[in-house]
Amino acid sequence: MKVIVDLCVVPIGVGIDLAPYVAACQQVLQQRGLKHQLGPNSTAIEGDWGPVMEAVKACHEVVHELGAPRIFTSLKINSRTDRDQALEEKTAAVQQLLA
């Protein structure tokens, strides 16, 4: 099953600069070849259910390896069975209405 998710991984107990942890998760997604878009508060990820969920777990693992004793994660999952939908399509439909 194909999914589009919004992932927000928040390390707790590491101070206020979270950029190194976000960058580490971005590297996980790149290494796994998953289509993704970094946003100001979360990362959108597109792919098959299994690889996407494995990448979420890998993000947790790498953030813990970087020294975060605790992580709070928000995950929104969007799946469709009527057709495939890409990340760009979701925002393009709104942009078209605004044009």
Side-chain angles (χ1 to χ4, degrees), residues 2-4 46 78 80 83-87 89-90:
K2 188 173 178 183
V3 295
I4 295 176
E46 176 184 323
N78 180 19
R80 293 187 72 152
R83 68 180 185 92
D84 282 344
Q85 186 175 38
L87 290 171
E89 289 180 78
K90 293 181 72 60

Side-chain angles (χ1 to χ4, degrees), residues 14 19-25 27 59-69:
V14 297
Y21 304 93
V22 173
C25 283
Q27 289 174 333
C59 283
H60 267 250
E61 291 170 344
V62 74
V63 169
H64 280 305
E65 288 170 7
L66 289 174

Side-chain angles (χ1 to χ4, degrees), residues 32-92:
R32 291 169 179 262
L34 289 170
K35 186 174 178 182
H36 60 285
Q37 290 179 348
L38 176 63
N41 293 309
S42 65
T43 298
I45 308 166
E46 176 184 323
D48 288 329
W49 184 280
V52 169
M53 294 307 151
E54 289 170 10
V56 171
K57 179 182 177 186
C59 283
H60 267 250
E61 291 170 344
V62 74
V63 169
H64 280 305
E65 288 170 7
L66 289 174
R70 183 176 178 191
I71 300 168
F72 176 82
T73 294
S74 173
L75 182 66
K76 297 177 186 177
I77 304 170
N78 180 19
S79 64
R80 293 187 72 152
T81 58
D82 59 331
R83 68 180 185 92
D84 282 344
Q85 186 175 38
L87 290 171
E88 300 83 10
E89 289 180 78
K90 293 181 72 60
T91 54

